[in-house]
């Protein structure tokens, strides 16, 4: 019989963070929803200690908010928050693209190409979960190719709080296809070392993401506003 190898506590809470992050990013845990410790412990089959450590990790990333007397909730950004954050990340990704086009080496370019082809296959299958994971790896690889540690740290900090929104920006089929086409151009510009062109494209790419997210937020808010308006006269008559 094989020996049972215990999973170190540090590794366990990191694994829990990965699984919990995916649930938040992919919308299984909705923005603003409370993270129920008992339910999550049962679902993830872990004790409260690694779960709480994982939640603190996600809070540091900006995916979770720790609120007094309410516990942990999935972060819910306002339209203003979204617009402001995408404005910042667009500048960071533009800088990454420009520097990457200048500094990328053959191995880094080959890795991005390989990830890109895998991402195209995921898009063909309409496998959004796999597509998003590969998409994120491409953006991270481009950021690494920029060769600027301060830029990388800042990018990761700002981008973390946008993960769920970037995932949902592909819900619209037409916008998803447009994003894929922009990625095709990114790889081309990296290959031809078009630093200025890639800088411009990255800004456009992120602004398109911003617009898609804001449109989704406004569409989701419409039924709530209509329901409130419909109820108002009844309350007044009462």
């Amino acid at each position: 019989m094989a020996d049972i190898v215990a999973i170190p506590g540090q590794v366990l809470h990191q694994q829990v963070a990965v699984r919990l992050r995916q649930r938040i990013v992919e919308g299984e845990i909705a923005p603003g929803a409370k993270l129920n410790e008992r339910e999550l412990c049962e679902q993830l089959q872990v004790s409260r200690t690694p779960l709480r450590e994982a939640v603190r990790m996600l809070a540091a990333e900006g995916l979770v908010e720790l609120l007094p007397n309410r516990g942990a909730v999935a972060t819910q950004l306002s339209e203003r928050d979204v617009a402001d954050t995408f404005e910042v990340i667009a500048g960071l990704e533009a800088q990454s693209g420009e520097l990457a086009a200048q500094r990328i080496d053959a191995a880094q370019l080959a890795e991005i190409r390989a990830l890109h082809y895998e991402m195209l296959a995921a898009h063909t299958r309409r496998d959004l979960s796999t597509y998003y994971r590969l998409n994120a790896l491409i953006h991270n690889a481009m950021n690494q190719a920029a060769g600027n540690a301060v830029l990388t740290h800042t990018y990761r900090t700002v981008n973390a709080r946008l993960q769920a929104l970037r995932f949902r920006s592909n819900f619209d089929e037409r916008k998803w296809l447009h994003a894929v086409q922009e990625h095709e151009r990114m790889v081309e510009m990296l290959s031809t070392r078009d630093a200025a062109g890639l800088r411009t494209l990255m800004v456009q790419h992120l602004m398109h993401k911003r617009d898609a997210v804001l449109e989704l937020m406004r569409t989701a808010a419409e039924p709530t506003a209509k329901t409130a308006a419909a109820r108002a006269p009844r309350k007044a008559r009462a």
Side-chain angles (χ1 to χ4, degrees):
M1 181 180 294
D3 293 334
I4 296 175
V5 180
I7 300 175
Q10 183 181 14
V11 174
L12 179 58
H13 87 260
Q14 290 172 344
Q15 291 178 343
V16 173
V18 169
R19 294 163 68 187
L20 190 55
R21 184 186 296 110
Q22 183 175 9
R23 291 185 175 210
I24 294 172
V25 168
E26 298 188 6
E28 189 174 335
I29 298 175
K34 180 177 172 57
L35 275 60
N36 186 298
E37 275 194 358
R38 181 181 58 79
E39 290 181 1
L40 287 172
C41 285
E42 291 176 359
Q43 293 168 4
L44 301 174
Q45 298 184 336
V46 295
S47 66
R48 291 179 184 267
T49 297
L51 177 65
R52 287 174 177 173
E53 290 175 348
V55 168
R56 283 195 288 269
M57 283 181 61
L58 299 187
E61 293 178 10
L63 281 175
V64 169
E65 288 185 271
L66 302 177
L67 303 178
N69 305 318
R70 284 194 60 197
V73 299
T75 298
Q76 185 171 27
L77 299 179
S78 68
E79 287 190 19
R80 184 72 263 167
D81 291 333
V82 169
D84 289 347
T85 308
F86 267 101
E87 188 173 21
V88 173
I89 201 68
L92 295 173
E93 294 240 29
Q95 186 71 52
S96 291
E98 181 177 27
L99 292 177
Q102 296 169 351
R103 300 172 178 175
I104 196 167
D105 61 32
Q108 291 170 324
L109 182 57
E111 178 189 5
I112 289 174
R113 275 207 186 99
L115 290 169
H116 177 68
Y117 292 137
E118 288 185 59
M119 188 188 75
L120 292 179
H123 175 256
T124 300
R125 298 192 306 270
R126 297 303 184 266
D127 180 355
L128 182 53
S129 181
T130 300
Y131 172 91
Y132 176 77
R133 178 180 60 82
L134 293 164
N135 182 287
L137 288 173
I138 290 170
H139 282 268
N140 288 337
M142 192 181 303
N143 184 269
Q144 287 292 321
N148 186 310
V150 175
L151 177 61
T152 294
H153 174 75
T154 307
Y155 166 76
R156 287 177 177 172
T157 301
V158 176
N159 189 57
R161 69 200 306 252
L162 288 174
Q163 290 183 74
L165 295 174
R166 292 183 77 152
F167 178 86
R168 290 195 286 275
S169 70
N170 296 309
F171 282 178
D172 182 289
E173 183 70 27
R174 182 177 56 81
K175 292 183 175 65
W176 189 5
L177 176 59
H178 188 67
V180 171
Q181 292 169 342
E182 287 178 332
H183 266 265
E184 290 271 15
R185 292 171 58 201
M186 287 177 204
V187 176
E188 290 174 7
M189 288 178 175
L190 281 172
S191 302
T192 58
R193 309 283 177 166
D194 185 356
L198 189 51
R199 181 182 186 92
T200 299
L201 177 60
M202 296 309 295
V203 172
Q204 293 173 349
H205 184 66
L206 271 295
M207 290 300 96
H208 290 153
K209 291 289 183 185
R210 177 203 62 188
D211 294 344
V213 167
L214 290 175
E215 183 178 334
L216 280 173
M217 293 177 70
R218 289 162 185 162
T219 300
E222 285 176 4
T224 303
K226 289 178 180 177
T227 300
R231 288 177 178 173
R234 288 198 292 271
K235 289 183 178 179
R237 285 195 297 270

